[in-house]
Amino acid sequence: VYANLSIPNVSITLSGNSILSSNANAATNGVIRVNSSNITVQSGSRLSGGSWWDMGSATVTLHDGAIANMNFWEARSTTTRFILGASGFTTITPNNLYGSSAPSTQSYVVDFANYTGSSTTLTLVDYTGINFASLNATSFLTGNFSYLNTGGYSGSMSWNATTNAIQLSIAELN
């Protein structure tokens, strides 16, 4: 647990219900900066707490069942990878999305290798609020999207402006 932490250019894997957290709150402006790092959060493990998580140029890999419930998730040229489970993905719930770079600088990767479900729409990330003036359903689509190990499925990500959520539509291919 850290009040302010800078961990640039490292690789961290959280497993076995591990927690990487800041003990600061919004009043103390505690920040965790993971600039240019690779952070992997496996099922049951958590990115948590504090005021601010600066994800600048980081790659954050979230496995189905990972938890991310910090106050602010700052998207700044971030690559976010979602590793689906057999039946989908457990929604992560950071409180607020803060965008300090254009939606076109964000990258999203979805890995279908474990997925065995049917056609559906999954909510991958559900924010309580946003402070990202240039983000809307159209600008979200200017980001970079990759879909890996799709097998008999196709995927399409979207921004739901009504619920402040990143969604994944999955279609079974015939």
Side-chain angles (χ1 to χ4, degrees), residues 38-111:
N38 292 303
I39 308 295
T40 299
V41 186
Q42 295 180 349
S43 182
S45 293
R46 168 188 315 254
L47 300 177
S48 182
S51 175
W52 205 276
W53 282 69
D54 176 356
M55 302 296 193
S57 300
T59 297
V60 180
T61 301
L62 301 162
H63 289 254
D64 177 37
I67 302 162
N69 59 357
M70 66 285 292
N71 191 28
F72 279 94
W73 173 299
E74 181 178 4
R76 196 161 52 88
S77 301
T78 307
T79 297
T80 307
R81 298 184 69 214
F82 301 95
I83 310 299
L84 302 183
S87 61
F89 190 84
T90 304
T91 305
I92 64 165
T93 56
N95 287 336
N96 297 286
L97 172 63
Y98 181 82
S100 60
S101 60
S104 62
T105 68
Q106 308 306 314
S107 296
Y108 303 93
V109 179
V110 179
D111 191 331

Side-chain angles (χ1 to χ4, degrees), residues 55-168:
M55 302 296 193
S57 300
T59 297
V60 180
T61 301
L62 301 162
H63 289 254
D64 177 37
I67 302 162
N69 59 357
M70 66 285 292
N71 191 28
F72 279 94
W73 173 299
E74 181 178 4
R76 196 161 52 88
S77 301
T78 307
T79 297
T80 307
R81 298 184 69 214
F82 301 95
I83 310 299
L84 302 183
S87 61
F89 190 84
T90 304
T91 305
I92 64 165
T93 56
N95 287 336
N96 297 286
L97 172 63
Y98 181 82
S100 60
S101 60
S104 62
T105 68
Q106 308 306 314
S107 296
Y108 303 93
V109 179
V110 179
D111 191 331
F112 283 78
N114 300 318
Y115 188 71
T116 58
S118 58
S119 297
T120 191
T121 298
L122 303 172
T123 298
L124 302 174
V125 185
D126 191 3
Y127 300 97
T128 303
I130 63 167
N131 185 356
F132 200 156
S134 62
L135 181 62
N136 57 52
T138 301
S139 67
F140 179 81
L141 296 176
T142 65
N144 303 292
F145 301 92
S146 298
Y147 304 95
L148 308 176
N149 303 308
T150 54
Y153 303 95
S154 67
S156 177
M157 294 181 76
S158 62
W159 174 254
N160 183 324
T162 302
T163 61
N164 297 325
I166 297 173
Q167 295 182 318
L168 172 67

